[in-house]
Amino acid sequence: MAEEKILTKHPLGRSGKNISKQKYETLKKTILSALKNTQLTHTQLFNELNKSLRNRFSGNISWYGETVKLDLEARKMIERTSSKPEKYRLKSNAIIMKTEGTHYGVTQIAQLFPSLKRIKDKSLREKVASVWNEAITTGCGGKGWTFDELRAVKFTLLAGDIEMTFVEHLNSCARQCVAIADVLEKSFRCGIPIQRDYLIAGSLLADVGKPLEYDKDASGKVVQGKFGQQLRHPFSGVALAHKHGIPGEVLHIIATHSHEGDKVERSIESIIFHHADFVDFDIAKVLGKRAATK
Ligand SMILES: [Fe+2]
């Protein structure tokens, strides 16, 4: 899927740059939050950007920072003071209230999880995207995740070092679920009621609590955070999804997909997802063990 781009503006009307919308949103959020309640010189602002985004951003932070800073000046969200040395400050609190939060919609979330587009019900598709938006922007101990960071998270902290990421695992499960549904519908000649929208939504949301469960330590390593020690992702995932109006059939998949659901009679969709999930997980454990003995 083509990456969504944005053409930046320039305060003097010069031509802007066509850059990744995700990178733009990351820099915009970081610049606005650095200038919240303070004024910074150019050097101070860029020191803050480098401090906040080091190891969390792929690309030249200074180049993207300058491009987005000029854009925010052109959009009158930040301005330069007339003091010496010149400083940057937010233009007005009213504007910041409206623009401070990053929001990822269906288009951006589908860049991470293309199967999102296979959910036929538009309202459910949008709700799944809004759950992911909240998980991404509020996870990592409240710091939020950039897309680059999330894409770099390993599949599981429990399976050793293998070449599979968390995002790839979710995509694998969503595709497996659809493939399993295709086979079962042909095999169960008595008829098998599979609610595909719920199956796909459940497969994409089963691990949505993990961005809340995971945090980064001082060295930038992904670890189980304090919240993750208190609540595993099936619980936090249900809480988050419920907030966004996700239907009970899908909450059931999130709640029961892992061993927490072993004492529950799983729905057909939950059985399918549970097995797809463990196909990946059990194979990852085998591969992790083999990699450790090499
Ligand atoms: Fe899980």
Side-chain angles (χ1 to χ4, degrees):
M1 188 178 297
E3 189 179 28
E4 196 180 349
K5 301 268 190 179
I6 184 168
L7 182 62
T8 61
K9 293 176 184 282
H10 191 286
L12 302 176
R14 293 189 194 137
S15 55
K17 309 267 193 268
N18 199 21
I19 64 170
S20 148
K21 176 105 190 304
Q22 280 157 28
K23 288 187 172 30
Y24 173 85
E25 290 290 349
T26 300
L27 262 307
K28 177 175 140 187
K29 187 177 171 192
T30 313
I31 291 170
L32 295 179
S33 99
L35 293 175
K36 204 170 178 179
N37 304 323
T38 191
Q39 301 181 359
L40 299 174
T41 63
H42 190 277
T43 308
Q44 289 168 331
L45 175 61
F46 279 73
N47 283 346
E48 284 300 314
L49 296 186
N50 276 297
K51 211 160 73 186
S52 302
L53 296 174
R54 195 168 34 230
N55 304 324
R56 306 180 69 210
F57 184 82
S58 75
N60 184 320
I61 295 170
S62 298
W63 186 88
Y64 279 99
E66 188 62 31
T67 303
V68 176
K69 181 207 59 115
L70 288 168
D71 174 271
L72 296 177
E73 286 185 81
R75 293 176 197 271
K76 308 212 178 311
M77 293 169 68
I78 63 173
E79 63 185 357
R80 300 181 199 203
T81 62
S82 51
S83 59
K84 287 230 161 53
E86 189 177 70
K87 290 185 174 179
Y88 293 94
R89 69 179 171 204
L90 300 180
K91 184 98 173 148
S92 93
N93 283 338
I95 291 171
I96 296 314
M97 288 301 286
K98 271 194 277 166
T99 56
E100 188 177 36
T102 301
H103 183 85
Y104 300 118
V106 169
T107 308
Q108 285 94 22
I109 299 299
Q111 285 170 4
L112 287 173
F113 310 117
S115 298
L116 178 64
K117 294 265 176 89
R118 300 183 79 158
I119 298 176
K120 292 204 171 93
D121 179 340
K122 182 170 178 275
S123 153
L124 181 59
R125 206 162 55 228
E126 285 170 352
K127 284 175 187 168
V128 171
S130 72
V131 179
W132 265 107
N133 172 64
E134 184 168 348
I136 292 170
T137 55
T138 66
C140 200
K143 297 183 282 295
W145 299 88
T146 64
F147 270 37
D148 287 336
E149 279 182 305
L150 199 66
R151 282 201 176 99
V153 172
K154 293 278 177 196
F155 162 28
T156 166
L157 304 180
L158 309 171
D161 197 13
I162 63 156
E163 284 294 316
M164 187 182 214
T165 66
F166 169 62
V167 169
E168 286 165 346
H169 163 61
L170 262 72
N171 287 324
S172 163
C173 285
R175 289 200 305 271
Q176 285 185 63
C177 284
V178 172
I180 292 170
D182 286 344
V183 172
L184 296 184
E185 279 174 354
K186 288 195 185 94
S187 306
F188 278 80
R189 285 182 295 102
C190 56
I192 176 169
I194 299 173
Q195 305 190 77
R196 290 198 180 223
D197 267 10
Y198 291 155
L199 176 61
I200 299 167
S203 73
L204 295 179
L205 290 178
D207 282 353
V208 76
K210 279 200 180 175
L212 308 177
E213 192 178 332
Y214 292 168
D215 196 349
K216 281 192 163 188
D217 67 14
S219 70
K221 189 176 161 219
V222 176
V223 294
Q224 192 181 44
K226 186 173 171 224
F227 185 69
Q229 287 159 14
Q230 294 163 331
L231 277 187
R232 250 173 58 80
H233 64 275
F235 301 101
S236 49
V238 165
L240 190 57
H242 181 59
K243 241 176 101 179
H244 292 265
I246 294 291
E249 290 87 341
V250 179
L251 298 180
H252 171 87
I253 300 172
I254 304 170
T256 60
H257 79 275
S258 200
H259 56 76
E260 284 87 351
D262 286 349
K263 292 196 172 160
V264 175
E265 184 173 301
R266 292 184 172 98
S267 66
I268 292 173
E269 292 79 11
S270 182
I271 291 170
I272 295 172
F273 178 77
H274 167 70
H275 285 281
D277 192 22
F278 277 85
V279 165
D280 270 14
F281 184 62
D282 289 344
I283 291 174
K285 276 196 296 190
V286 170
L287 294 176
K289 238 189 236 169
R290 285 184 193 170
T293 55
K294 268 186 193 161

